[in-house]
Protein backbone atom coordinates (compact mmCIF):
# COMPACT_ATOMS: atom_id res chain seq x y z
CA UNK A 1 0.00 0.00 0.00
CA UNK A 2 2.78 2.44 0.87
CA UNK A 3 6.09 2.65 -0.94
CA UNK A 4 9.37 2.80 0.96
CA UNK A 5 9.63 6.49 0.05
CA UNK A 6 6.12 7.19 1.36
CA UNK A 7 6.83 5.34 4.61
CA UNK A 8 9.96 7.42 5.10
CA UNK A 9 8.07 10.64 4.40
CA UNK A 10 5.31 9.74 6.87
CA UNK A 11 7.85 8.82 9.55
CA UNK A 12 9.70 12.10 9.00
CA UNK A 13 6.53 14.19 9.21
CA UNK A 14 5.39 12.60 12.47
CA UNK A 15 8.85 12.84 14.02
CA UNK A 16 8.81 16.55 13.23
CA UNK A 17 5.28 17.01 14.59
CA UNK A 18 5.68 15.05 17.83
CA UNK A 19 6.95 18.11 19.76
CA UNK A 20 3.68 19.92 18.89
CA UNK A 21 1.47 16.85 19.32
CA UNK A 22 -0.79 18.62 21.78
CA UNK A 23 -1.54 21.46 19.36
CA UNK A 24 -2.08 19.24 16.31
CA UNK A 25 -4.22 16.73 18.19
CA UNK A 26 -6.43 19.25 19.96
CA UNK A 27 -7.03 21.14 16.73
CA UNK A 28 -7.97 17.94 14.89
CA UNK A 29 -10.36 16.99 17.69
CA UNK A 30 -11.98 20.43 17.65
CA UNK A 31 -12.45 20.13 13.88
CA UNK A 32 -14.06 16.74 14.34
CA UNK A 33 -16.41 17.99 17.06
CA UNK A 34 -17.42 21.01 14.94
CA UNK A 35 -17.89 19.01 11.73
CA UNK A 36 -19.38 15.89 13.29
CA UNK A 37 -21.09 16.93 16.56
CA UNK A 38 -22.22 13.37 17.30
CA UNK A 39 -18.61 12.45 18.05
CA UNK A 40 -18.76 14.56 21.22
CA UNK A 41 -20.86 11.88 22.93
CA UNK A 42 -17.76 9.77 23.56
CA UNK A 43 -16.19 12.64 25.48
CA UNK A 44 -19.10 13.60 27.75
CA UNK A 45 -16.99 12.90 30.84
CA UNK A 46 -14.29 15.36 29.72
CA UNK A 47 -14.07 19.10 29.25
CA UNK A 48 -13.59 19.34 25.48
CA UNK A 49 -13.90 23.10 25.20
CA UNK A 50 -11.20 24.91 23.20
CA UNK A 51 -8.02 25.21 25.24
CA UNK A 52 -9.07 22.74 27.95
CA UNK A 53 -6.46 20.50 29.52
CA UNK A 54 -8.55 17.41 28.67
CA UNK A 55 -8.70 18.36 24.99
CA UNK A 56 -4.96 19.00 24.83
CA UNK A 57 -4.11 15.84 26.74
CA UNK A 58 -6.27 13.59 24.57
CA UNK A 59 -5.11 15.30 21.38
CA UNK A 60 -1.51 14.67 22.38
CA UNK A 61 -2.24 10.98 23.07
CA UNK A 62 -3.77 10.61 19.62
CA UNK A 63 -0.90 12.25 17.77
CA UNK A 64 1.73 10.34 19.72
CA UNK A 65 -0.06 7.06 18.90
CA UNK A 66 -0.12 8.01 15.21
CA UNK A 67 3.57 8.96 15.39
CA UNK A 68 4.43 5.69 17.15
CA UNK A 69 2.68 3.71 14.42
CA UNK A 70 4.59 5.65 11.77
CA UNK A 71 7.93 4.45 13.15
CA UNK A 72 7.34 0.99 11.66
CA UNK A 73 4.20 0.92 9.54
CA UNK A 74 4.69 -2.74 8.71
CA UNK A 75 4.04 -3.50 12.40
CA UNK A 76 0.97 -1.27 12.73
CA UNK A 77 -1.33 -4.08 13.88
CA UNK A 78 1.09 -5.05 16.65
CA UNK A 79 1.69 -1.44 17.69
CA UNK A 80 -2.03 -0.66 17.85
CA UNK A 81 -3.19 -3.89 19.51
CA UNK A 82 -3.70 -2.31 22.95
CA UNK A 83 -5.62 0.61 21.42
CA UNK A 84 -7.77 -1.77 19.36
CA UNK A 85 -8.89 -3.55 22.50
CA UNK A 86 -9.41 -0.33 24.46
CA UNK A 87 -11.54 1.34 21.78
CA UNK A 88 -13.55 -1.75 20.81
CA UNK A 89 -14.25 -3.40 24.15
CA UNK A 90 -13.91 -0.76 26.84
CA UNK A 91 -14.74 2.58 25.20
CA UNK A 92 -17.01 1.05 22.55
CA UNK A 93 -16.21 3.73 20.00
CA UNK A 94 -18.11 3.50 16.71
CA UNK A 95 -15.33 2.66 14.21
CA UNK A 96 -16.72 5.22 11.75
CA UNK A 97 -15.29 7.86 14.06
CA UNK A 98 -11.74 6.74 13.27
CA UNK A 99 -12.30 7.68 9.63
CA UNK A 100 -13.83 11.00 10.63
CA UNK A 101 -10.86 11.85 12.82
CA UNK A 102 -8.47 10.79 10.05
CA UNK A 103 -10.09 13.28 7.69
CA UNK A 104 -9.93 16.04 10.29
CA UNK A 105 -6.29 15.18 10.96
CA UNK A 106 -5.50 15.55 7.24
CA UNK A 107 -7.11 19.00 7.18
CA UNK A 108 -5.22 20.00 10.32
CA UNK A 109 -1.93 18.80 8.84
CA UNK A 110 -2.58 20.73 5.64
CA UNK A 111 -3.22 23.90 7.65
CA UNK A 112 -0.25 23.37 9.93
CA UNK A 113 2.32 22.33 7.29
CA UNK A 114 1.19 24.65 4.51
CA UNK A 115 3.29 24.33 1.37
CA UNK A 116 5.31 21.52 2.97
CA UNK A 117 2.18 19.37 2.75
CA UNK A 118 2.77 18.57 -0.90
CA UNK A 119 0.40 16.44 -2.97
CA UNK A 120 2.79 13.52 -2.48
CA UNK A 121 2.83 14.03 1.30
CA UNK A 122 -0.96 14.42 1.33
CA UNK A 123 -1.51 11.20 -0.61
CA UNK A 124 0.94 9.26 1.56
CA UNK A 125 -0.58 10.60 4.77
CA UNK A 126 -4.09 9.83 3.56
CA UNK A 127 -3.07 6.21 2.90
CA UNK A 128 -1.39 5.94 6.28
CA UNK A 129 -4.27 7.45 8.25
CA UNK A 130 -6.71 5.20 6.38
CA UNK A 131 -4.62 2.18 7.35
CA UNK A 132 -4.41 3.45 10.93
CA UNK A 133 -8.21 3.77 11.12
CA UNK A 134 -8.70 0.35 9.51
CA UNK A 135 -6.35 -1.33 11.98
CA UNK A 136 -8.14 0.31 14.94
CA UNK A 137 -11.44 -1.03 13.56
CA UNK A 138 -10.22 -4.63 13.12
CA UNK A 139 -11.47 -5.82 16.52
CA UNK A 140 -15.02 -4.91 15.50
CA UNK A 141 -15.24 -7.69 12.91
Amino acid sequence: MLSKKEKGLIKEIWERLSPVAEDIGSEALLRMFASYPGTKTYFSHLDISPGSSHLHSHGKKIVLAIAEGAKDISQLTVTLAPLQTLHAYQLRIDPTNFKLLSHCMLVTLACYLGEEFTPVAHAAMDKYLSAFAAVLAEKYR
Side-chain angles (χ1 to χ4, degrees):
M1 170 175 87
L2 288 162
S3 70
K4 186 175 182 177
K5 181 180 176 180
E6 288 172 322
K7 288 178 182 179
L9 179 60
I10 291 164
K11 183 178 177 184
E12 174 196 324
I13 289 171
W14 287 111
E15 283 174 352
R16 201 165 22 130
L17 294 179
S18 289
V20 290
E22 197 172 283
D23 298 331
I24 299 288
S26 61
E27 186 176 331
L29 283 170
L30 282 174
R31 281 182 193 285
M32 184 177 72
F33 298 149
S35 300
Y36 310 102
T39 60
K40 291 180 191 178
T41 60
Y42 296 102
F43 297 88
S44 61
H45 61 290
L46 300 176
D47 174 9
I48 55 171
S49 60
S52 75
S53 62
H54 289 141
L55 183 73
H56 283 274
S57 174
H58 198 69
K60 182 177 182 177
K61 286 179 191 176
I62 291 168
V63 169
L64 293 179
I66 293 170
E68 185 65 28
K71 289 179 182 176
D72 187 359
I73 295 171
S74 64
Q75 293 296 309
L76 199 54
T77 301
V78 173
T79 303
L80 294 182
L83 290 176
Q84 288 174 324
T85 302
L86 174 68
H87 286 81
Y89 300 126
Q90 292 176 334
L91 301 175
R92 300 180 192 273
I93 305 295
D94 181 340
T96 303
N97 292 316
F98 304 138
K99 293 177 186 177
L100 300 178
L101 181 60
S102 293
H103 174 73
C104 292
M105 188 63 71
L106 275 176
V107 173
T108 302
L109 292 175
C111 292
Y112 190 84
L113 295 171
E115 291 181 11
E116 292 179 61
F117 202 54
T118 64
V120 171
H122 183 178
M125 193 62 70
D126 188 27
K127 287 184 207 177
Y128 172 62
L129 290 173
S130 293
F132 193 92
V135 169
L136 278 180
E138 283 179 355
K139 291 279 184 185
Y140 293 85
R141 296 180 190 172

